[in-house]
Amino acid sequence: MTPEQTSETIDQLARRAYEDLLRRIRAGETPREAADAALAAFRGPYYQQVADALSAILKASIGPADIKAWPVGKVKLSQALYAHHRAISAATAATVNAHLQGLHSARDLAKTLYEGYDFKPDTLKVVAKLPKYLRVKFNAARAAKLKTPALRAAYLQAIQAAEAGAGQAELEKILKVAFYERNRYLANRIARTEIARAQNAQIARELLADEQIGFVQIRLSSKHPKTDICDLHAKLDAYGLGPGVYPKAEAPLPPFHPHCYCLQRPILSIPPGQKVKARPNAARAFLKSLPADEARQVMGGKERLRRVLEDGDSIEAVVNTNVDPLYHAKRMGEVADNPLVKAARLSSNSVNTLLAENEKLTIPARLHPVSAAFDFPDEPEYEPIRRALAAIDAAHDDGDLPALPIELARDLTDGNDGEYWGDDARAFKIRIAALSKIKEFSLACEVGHFLDHQALAPGQGYATLDPQGALLDVLLSIQLSKSAQGIQSYAHDAKAYGYLNDESEWWSRAYAQWVALRSGSAILKKQADHVIHDEVGFWEWKDFEPIAKAIDVLFRQKGWL
C-alpha cells in the first residue's frame, strides 16, 4: 500500500466517522457521546492502515498494537491521536449544543469550530465587546490564518451566511466540514509524518548499503506548496556538485517537516569514490543570495535567519531548536539499522509489555491481541486497565474486535464495579468504577460481555441468547456446577440476586475467572480469590475446573489459543 493510498483510505475513514456521528446524534445520543463513539470507531481501522503501510515499507510484520505504541515525539501515537480527538469531540459537542440552544449565529458557530481546531481558549467574550467594524476585521484575519482550504472556506461561508440567518441545514454543512476536515487533517498529519520518516529512513539504508552509489540528490516534490527549509536542502550546492547533490552519508534526510514530500535520488553519473570537499559557507551564501522575505521563509522566521547569518549557528542547530529529538534534522549516515522495526518488535503483542514482564506473564505472538481493540487515556490512573489487558493478551487471542473506549467512572458506586454499554448490534463503551478495588478483575468481566456481544457469534448479537450456539458446552458446565446450583437458595431474593441466573452474567464471570486462572497473573488471581470468598456467583477453583476446560475447548475451536 502506497502512502497516497493510505491517505485516501484515512480520508474515507474520516468521512465514515462523520456519517456515524450524525447517525448517533439522530438516534438520541448526546453530541459528546456521539463524537467520542464515532472517533473511537475511527481509531481501530486507522491503526490498521498505518500498520499495513509501515509493514510494507519496513518489510516487517507490524500490527495495530505496535502502531498504538509507536513513538511520536515524547508520546505514543495513540496518545497523540487521542488528544486530538478529545479536542475534536469537545468542539463538536459545543457547536451542536449551542445550535440546539438557539444560538444560530453562523459567526459564533464558525469561531467555536475554529478555536477548537487550533486548541485555543475561547475568545468570544473579548471579540463581542469590539466595535462592529473591528469584529469584521477580526473574522477576516482569523479566516485567513486557517491551515486548510476546506476550513477556510467553511469559516468564510459561515460569516457570509450570518446575514441570511443560516439554520439547521447550514449548521450541518459547517459541522460536516469541520468534523470531517479536522479529523482527516490531524490523522493524516500523524500518519504521513511517520510513514514518510520510516520510508525515507529505509531508502537511506538501502542507498548506504549499495556500493555502486556514492552520491544522492535531494529533490523537491511536484506537490511542494511554498518556500521553506526544503528549498535550502534541494537548491544548496554544498559540495560543488550541483544543487541538492551530496555524498550519500552527508545528505540531509527527509522529511524536513510535516507533510514533506521531498525525494532522495541516487546520482549514478558521479563515480562513488570521487573525492569532494564541503563548502563551509555555502548555506550562508545561499541564504544571502535570496530576497529577504524568501530567506526568512526558508529558515522559518527572522530570528532563526539572524542566528545563521549573524551568530554563525549551523543550519542543524537552528532548525533543531525546541524540536523533539526524535524529529531532529539528520544526515543519511546517521540512520541506524532499522531502529523503527526494533522498536516495534519490542512493543509487539501488547500495550503492556513491561507490565506483563513485571508480572512474569508469557504472552505468545498474537495475530489479534485483545488489547488492540481498546482506547483509553495513557495516564497513571489507567495502570490497572493496562495490567488487565496484558493478562488477557497472555490468556488468549480474540479474532477481530471493533474499537471500544474504556473509561474510569466516578459515578459507579454501591458494589457496581463495571458496566458494558451496547445496543443490539453496536458496542459503545466499557466503564470501570474509579474507586473499585478490583479494577483488573472487573475489566475482565466486562471484556467477557464484549466478547459475548461482538466476537463469539459475529453479526448475531449476544451468543448467550442462543442456548444451542457457540457457548452450549460452557453454559452446560456452568449449570452443572455447585455454585450455580447454590444460587437457587437465593431465589427468594430475586431483586438482589436474580441477575445471577442470567446466562450473559454467568459467562462474563466465568470468563474473568478463566483469565485469572490461565493468564498466570498474580493480581487477577488474588482478586478472583477475593470475589470467590466475599461474593455470590463465583466458583471455588475445584468446582471451576470443568468450566475452564470447556472454555479451553471453545477458544481452541475459535483459533484463539
Side-chain angles (χ1 to χ4, degrees), residues 113 117 146-156 177-178 181-182 185:
L113 293 172
Y117 176 85
L146 287 174
K147 297 182 179 180
T148 68
L151 279 171
R152 187 158 51 248
Y155 192 86
L156 292 172
V177 174
E181 170 66 16
R182 289 165 57 203
Y185 174 83

Side-chain angles (χ1 to χ4, degrees), residues 462-514:
Y462 286 93
T464 48
L465 294 179
D466 182 2
Q468 302 300 315
L471 285 171
L472 172 63
D473 292 338
V474 175
L475 293 176
L476 181 60
S477 298
I478 289 174
Q479 291 168 6
L480 295 175
S481 67
K482 292 181 180 178
S483 179
Q485 294 172 13
I487 289 296
Q488 299 305 317
S489 63
Y490 293 90
H492 65 282
D493 193 355
K495 183 176 180 180
Y497 297 102
Y499 75 100
L500 292 177
N501 283 315
D502 179 80
E503 286 81 0
S504 178
E505 188 65 26
W506 275 123
W507 157 253
S508 73
R509 290 173 169 236
Y511 169 78
Q513 198 165 330
W514 178 86

Side-chain angles (χ1 to χ4, degrees), residues 215 232 234-247 250 275-287 289 308 313-316 331:
F215 299 86
L232 172 68
K235 298 176 182 178
L236 177 65
D237 187 0
Y239 290 86
L241 300 170
V245 180
Y246 305 81
E250 298 301 320
K275 300 295 184 182
V276 296
K277 186 176 181 180
R279 303 167 63 195
N281 294 317
R284 291 182 182 84
F286 172 79
L287 291 170
S289 72
V308 174
D313 291 349
S314 69
I315 298 292
E316 287 81 1
R331 302 285 171 177

Side-chain angles (χ1 to χ4, degrees), residues 176-187:
K176 177 179 179 180
V177 174
F179 182 92
Y180 160 72
E181 170 66 16
R182 289 165 57 203
N183 187 28
R184 181 206 65 78
Y185 174 83
L186 294 168

